[in-house]
Amino acid sequence: MILNKMLKDVEISVPIVYGNVSFWLGKKASEYQSHKWTVYVRGATNEDLGVVVKRAVFQLHSSFNNPTRVVEAPPFEVSEAGWGEFEIAITLFFHSDVSDKPLNLFHHLKLYPEDESGPMSTKKPVVVEVYDEISFPEPSEGFVARVQNNPVVTFPRLPVGFTLPPLVPVEDASRKRRGDTKDHPLSQWFLNFSEADELLQLAAARQQVQAHIAKLRRQISVIEGQHQQSKSISDQ
Amino acid sequence: MDAKDILGLPKTPLPLTQEKKPRPQKDSQRKPDGISREVYALTGGVPPLMPSVDSSQLKKRPPTDEKITWQWLPFTSSARKDSLQLYHWVRVVNGVPPTGDYSFAKYNKSVDVVKYTDEEYEKFLTDPMWTKEETDQLFDLCERYDLRFIVIADRFPSSRTVEDLKDRYYSVSRALLVARAPSPGDVSGNLLVKEPYNVSQERERKRALSMVLSQTKQQERKDAEVLAEAKKITESRMVARSAEEPELPVASNSGLENVEKAIMPADTISPSSNAHLPSATVVPSTLMADNASTLASLRLLRVYLRTYALDQMIQAASSSAGLRTIKRVEQTLQDLGINLKPRVPTKAVCAEHLELRKEILTLLNLQKQLQYKEAEGSSFRDSTYETPGTPKDRMFIPDSMSFGVSGERVGKRDQKRKAPGRLTEAPSSPAQSKRPRKLKASDL
């Protein structure tokens, strides 16, 4: 049963992280292949993105063979060897009940460490990751049903009285290939993204700004009062 | 030196003979080889520290072992069908004239125009609008003038438009190609077959082009206005109530056909979006309108990145602010230690970030307000008869509320304080700032 109705008041967010990990090849490096790198898109908590994303297309630099790499199943990543840094366009195509429009991400491949003075190591890679969230403001019922208990998405607090459509069991729960990246070979380098710190910072900043605003308002009213006084004096 | 030369030896300034004749007494003063003395004198008469141009590069002389003469010789060109012999000057080296075809013969390219037999004409190429004679004439002209249709149209005995001629030529060529091909699949890749000449489209295109070309300045301005209007209207269509919205002004000048085509897709989107948008979104204030329209346009996308959404909301919120204000907001954020783009852009973080930016905008506005008030206050004190000057005159007053954001000083615009922001420091006493400071030299 395909549930086609679009749910207006439910917004589904899929937190993702995309970026690259790059290892210097050290002694094995050649002129054209000095680094081994992997560019990828993963769920922010390493859950399986395949529930949402049908396929990912990575557009590499034209100097690579077959620069358009299509990845049909998670983990959505491309590994290559090279020497240059360039912008990679990643296009995410979603399942038909999720969205018929693809989404574009852009990532600048980073191979060389920020701090150029330190020695390059073959053991410690250069890692650049970006956190973002894919937002589906009006998901279809089918999509909602499919993912309602799946940790790869986040639901907002549902309004009171809202009933979710019944959970549709996912077919082929036992997939041959693992879609999640929890035990991915590169997972030890993945960065952690916690909103808590940022929220605290923002809250503190807002408090300061609000305090200053209040102070300014008081000062302005004081001055306005004084103006009134001097005006009434001069009018006499 | 020149006077001596004029009176003495009448030598030429060009160094054609200089190298050959040794001039020891001139040597000490004439340093360069290959450039004339006068030119050398322009540089100051002193040799440069480093040779700017390798003197052997200058004035390459032909190798002296070759004897060059020029002769008036006959020639033929392979580009000509007759064997006309013409004459021209030829550079002869050591008595051997150059061989080879006339050097310009290679440019004689022509187009392969198809030829049909009468039989083929009867079978495939008859057309009610064209007689065989006309078609033959057309093809003859095409061959003679290498498919230059403007010329062909001019030379064509009966008057036909360029588009008509092109149409006839291309359809005949295509029909012949298809007829002669062993199977249709073979020629399907051929451009003639893949993209046939579209007469009506060509006519329209040329008409539109000529209209655009012949637009007067007045019309150009009107068009620009209409385009801007159309853009605004499509944007406001994103908000609800498109049923009552005014019709798009139809361009009076046809050059805007493309614009109309672009607007049509927007037309088709908005009816469908209305079904989704809540009905009561009559927006009273502009800020609400900005927010609502941004949200609406985001919904239309159906899928978008949170960072993109945040950008759009920020833009909408600062739509009334100038570039300088936006920079000040960003400076303030930096002073507060907040990333301009949140590192973990979750929904909550983005909402907080947006609110913070709005609050900073309010703060900056209040600061400005305070400055104005203080300026007004001082004008009252000084003289009640003086009318207050323009705000610009009063910008000597230091910005006492800054977190490190520079106040508006005349002359110093984008000064950024290098020291860390004074976030917890108490601002300087307001009483002090009421009096306008005399402009010190250090302020400029």
Side-chain angles (χ1 to χ4, degrees):
Chain A
M1 179 176 72
I2 298 172
L3 300 168
N4 267 332
K5 195 174 87 181
M6 308 305 268
L7 298 175
K8 255 188 353 188
D9 299 319
V10 181
E11 182 191 312
I12 291 190
S13 307
V14 184
I16 57 167
V17 172
Y18 60 95
N20 74 272
V21 171
S22 146
F23 285 92
W24 181 48
L25 290 172
K27 280 188 298 206
K28 300 198 201 132
S30 70
E31 191 185 340
Y32 290 109
Q33 298 195 338
S34 58
H35 288 73
K36 195 163 68 90
W37 50 263
T38 307
V39 62
Y40 54 85
V41 184
R42 63 176 174 92
T45 45
N46 291 316
E47 298 295 338
D48 180 12
L49 271 185
V51 178
V52 178
V53 176
K54 185 163 75 169
R55 113 172 75 96
V57 177
F58 294 82
Q59 186 69 32
L60 306 182
H61 192 265
S62 48
S63 57
F64 281 90
N65 274 336
N66 302 325
T68 311
R69 305 286 170 95
V70 182
V71 184
E72 301 278 1
F76 298 105
E77 64 187 37
V78 168
S79 296
E80 263 292 350
W83 57 271
E85 299 182 339
F86 53 89
E87 185 176 79
I88 301 180
I90 309 173
T91 312
L92 299 178
F93 292 87
F94 304 101
H95 292 290
S96 48
D97 63 345
V98 175
S99 166
D100 48 4
K101 279 179 61 179
L103 187 66
N104 286 319
L105 306 166
F106 297 94
H107 175 66
H108 189 87
L109 182 71
K110 194 143 173 52
L111 304 179
Y112 303 95
E114 262 320 304
D115 175 19
E116 292 166 21
S117 56
M120 294 221 278
S121 134
T122 54
K123 297 277 192 292
K124 196 158 172 306
V126 168
V127 181
V128 174
E129 285 194 324
V130 175
Y131 176 99
D132 211 327
E133 294 187 345
I134 308 178
S135 186
F136 299 96
E138 284 173 6
S140 73
E141 270 193 325
F143 180 31
V144 172
R146 198 156 58 80
V147 299
Q148 54 179 296
N149 281 332
N150 194 315
V152 76
V153 305
T154 53
F155 269 110
R157 254 208 316 266
L158 299 171
V160 178
F162 193 97
T163 48
L164 279 177
L167 175 61
V168 173
V170 179
E171 322 107 21
D172 62 42
S174 60
R175 273 206 213 102
K176 282 171 278 191
R177 179 174 160 186
R178 272 185 83 161
D180 68 81
T181 43
K182 294 195 178 124
D183 286 333
H184 194 274
L186 293 173
S187 60
Q188 58 173 308
W189 305 112
F190 291 163
L191 303 174
N192 268 326
F193 292 90
S194 134
E195 64 170 354
D197 289 336
E198 202 136 16
L199 279 176
L200 278 173
Q201 270 189 323
L202 284 168
R206 283 187 71 185
Q207 264 197 336
Q208 277 188 332
V209 172
Q210 282 161 3
H212 271 281
I213 287 179
K215 204 179 294 187
L216 281 175
R217 289 212 161 108
R218 281 200 298 276
Q219 285 180 316
I220 288 177
S221 62
V222 163
I223 291 183
E224 278 177 340
Q226 290 175 339
H227 285 180
Q228 284 298 353
Q229 276 189 339
S230 60
K231 199 166 182 300
S232 55
I233 289 170
S234 65
D235 280 348
Q236 286 166 2
Chain B
M1 290 316 295
D2 269 323
K4 263 200 186 167
D5 290 352
I6 291 170
L7 292 171
L9 310 158
K11 73 165 193 253
T12 64
L14 295 172
L16 272 174
T17 50
Q18 255 182 8
E19 275 187 344
K20 298 189 179 153
K21 291 188 196 159
R23 292 171 189 269
Q25 71 269 38
K26 287 278 183 217
D27 244 325
S28 56
Q29 264 152 14
R30 181 185 68 79
K31 297 286 192 282
D33 275 10
I35 60 174
S36 72
R37 186 174 49 81
E38 275 81 350
V39 173
Y40 188 66
L42 286 176
T43 64
V46 179
L49 292 169
M50 284 204 44
S52 51
V53 177
D54 186 11
S55 56
S56 63
Q57 293 287 330
L58 304 165
K59 295 245 179 174
K60 268 199 217 147
R61 291 187 184 84
T64 43
D65 53 335
E66 285 181 3
K67 231 174 83 160
I68 308 289
T69 50
W70 287 84
Q71 294 179 10
W72 182 252
L73 294 176
F75 71 97
T76 53
S77 165
S78 62
R80 294 195 69 92
K81 295 197 189 65
D82 51 23
S83 46
L84 173 68
Q85 238 193 19
L86 295 171
Y87 289 80
H88 64 186
W89 285 106
V90 175
R91 185 174 183 268
V92 176
V93 185
N94 287 343
V96 178
T99 52
D101 195 9
Y102 181 52
S103 59
F104 295 104
K106 61 179 181 278
Y107 299 115
N108 188 38
K109 302 261 192 227
S110 62
V111 179
D112 294 322
V113 169
V114 289
K115 287 198 165 38
Y116 49 83
T117 62
D118 291 344
E119 222 183 87
E120 283 179 318
Y121 187 88
E122 300 295 313
K123 271 212 284 194
F124 310 114
L125 309 174
T126 53
D127 186 296
M129 303 283 293
W130 285 78
T131 66
K132 181 164 195 304
E133 195 187 303
E134 279 196 309
T135 314
D136 287 346
Q137 280 178 331
L138 170 63
F139 271 74
D140 177 51
L141 284 175
C142 284
E143 178 151 356
R144 280 218 304 211
Y145 292 112
D146 289 329
L147 289 189
R148 281 181 273 218
F149 282 101
I150 308 288
V151 179
I152 294 170
D154 183 63
R155 297 277 194 280
F156 203 69
S158 49
S159 70
R160 293 255 190 181
T161 64
V162 174
E163 289 84 29
D164 269 342
L165 296 172
K166 277 195 193 176
D167 188 30
R168 182 63 177 146
Y169 172 77
Y170 288 126
S171 27
V172 165
S173 306
R174 191 166 71 253
L176 272 177
L177 202 63
V178 169
R180 287 179 185 170
S183 83
D186 285 342
V187 284
S188 59
N190 189 313
L191 272 177
L192 267 177
V193 176
K194 251 195 349 187
E195 290 174 46
Y197 182 72
N198 185 337
V199 189
S200 48
Q201 197 183 48
E202 281 293 294
R203 283 217 186 87
E204 263 314 294
R205 180 180 69 86
K206 288 187 181 170
R207 190 176 71 87
L209 265 178
S210 66
M211 296 232 77
V212 176
L213 186 61
S214 55
Q215 270 186 347
T216 64
K217 224 184 258 205
Q218 178 86 314
Q219 283 173 332
E220 250 183 67
R221 254 187 294 125
K222 274 209 227 132
D223 285 351
E225 281 171 36
V226 170
L227 275 170
E229 194 66 48
K231 204 171 151 205
K232 266 195 286 173
I233 290 180
T234 48
E235 278 170 21
S236 65
R237 274 185 175 214
M238 301 287 203
V239 192
R241 305 186 336 76
S242 79
E244 279 140 74
E245 262 165 6
E247 286 287 304
L248 272 178
V250 177
S252 49
N253 307 306
S254 64
L256 287 179
E257 282 149 338
N258 290 332
V259 173
E260 285 169 28
K261 286 202 183 103
I263 291 176
M264 287 211 312
D267 277 351
T268 54
I269 288 177
S270 50
S272 59
S273 74
N274 280 335
H276 296 295
L277 290 170
S279 47
T281 48
V282 181
V283 285
S285 72
T286 48
L287 191 57
M288 284 291 292
D290 280 339
N291 262 339
S293 68
T294 321
L295 277 175
S297 63
L298 284 173
R299 285 198 110 95
L300 281 178
L301 290 177
R302 299 217 177 276
V303 53
Y304 54 84
L305 282 173
R306 179 84 56 214
T307 47
Y308 172 78
L310 180 61
D311 270 342
Q312 296 290 100
M313 307 282 275
I314 290 177
Q315 268 188 37
S318 13
S319 56
S320 54
L323 186 59
R324 182 121 66 101
T325 318
I326 295 176
K327 290 259 184 270
R328 287 177 71 188
V329 170
E330 294 184 347
Q331 180 65 43
T332 314
L333 280 171
Q334 281 181 337
D335 293 336
L336 289 164
I338 302 289
N339 298 319
L340 288 181
K341 284 188 188 285
R343 188 170 168 264
V344 190
T346 64
K347 202 164 158 113
V349 166
C350 287
E352 285 288 298
H353 188 99
L354 188 63
E355 290 308 306
L356 178 60
R357 278 191 183 239
K358 287 187 190 163
E359 279 164 7
I360 293 177
L361 267 175
T362 312
L363 177 64
L364 293 177
N365 283 333
L366 282 176
Q367 277 177 353
K368 223 186 261 186
Q369 226 186 346
L370 185 62
Q371 276 178 358
Y372 286 170
K373 295 282 175 189
E374 287 174 342
E376 275 176 7
S378 58
S379 88
F380 279 145
R381 194 104 43 75
D382 289 347
S383 133
T384 46
Y385 299 98
E386 241 175 44
T387 52
T390 62
K392 281 222 170 70
D393 295 339
R394 304 190 169 247
M395 287 311 157
F396 312 141
I397 299 164
D399 187 355
S400 52
M401 297 299 140
S402 70
F403 298 133
V405 175
S406 58
E408 315 228 31
R409 285 166 212 253
V410 176
K412 276 199 181 159
R413 296 236 145 181
D414 289 320
Q415 180 192 48
K416 273 200 187 146
R417 298 271 204 94
K418 294 271 166 71
R422 299 172 287 135
L423 294 169
T424 51
E425 220 178 64
S428 49
S429 65
Q432 205 176 21
S433 49
K434 275 193 194 147
R435 229 168 256 115
R437 251 177 47 204
K438 284 219 187 83
L439 189 60
K440 292 192 206 140
S442 57
D443 282 344
L444 292 169

